[in-house]
Amino acid sequence: MADKKYHQGHDIKSLLINLATIICFILPVAIYIDRENTQNFCMAAAGGIALAILAPPVGLYRPHPYSDWEGNKPWPRRE
């Protein structure tokens, strides 16, 4: 990994997935601390998950077959 010239994984979809995961881990603690807002916390978690799922995979380093970078080419298909 040290020989890569750029770092992958910081596109919008990856960041949204990470944020939704953090919200899901914090959800039980937030509900335990403030039970009056349980429905609001659950709606925020569901909204974060929906946003992470529906976000398109965009970014500068998305794999494409005509890339000059060897690490940016898509995986070959196994048949």
Side-chain angles (χ1 to χ4, degrees), residues 3-21:
D3 60 341
K4 294 223 178 209
K5 294 183 174 125
Y6 59 90
H7 179 46
Q8 294 179 348
H10 285 102
D11 56 5
I12 295 170
K13 184 155 182 105
S14 296
L15 293 175
L16 287 173
I17 291 171
N18 290 340
L19 181 65
T21 304

Side-chain angles (χ1 to χ4, degrees), residues 14-58:
S14 296
L15 293 175
L16 287 173
I17 291 171
N18 290 340
L19 181 65
T21 304
I22 290 169
I23 290 172
C24 286
F25 278 116
I26 294 175
L27 181 64
V29 176
I31 290 173
Y32 181 76
I33 292 172
D34 186 11
R35 292 186 189 262
E36 294 176 1
N37 291 320
T38 301
Q39 186 175 6
N40 294 337
F41 294 147
C42 290
M43 289 176 62
I49 292 170
L51 188 63
I53 290 172
L54 295 175
V58 295

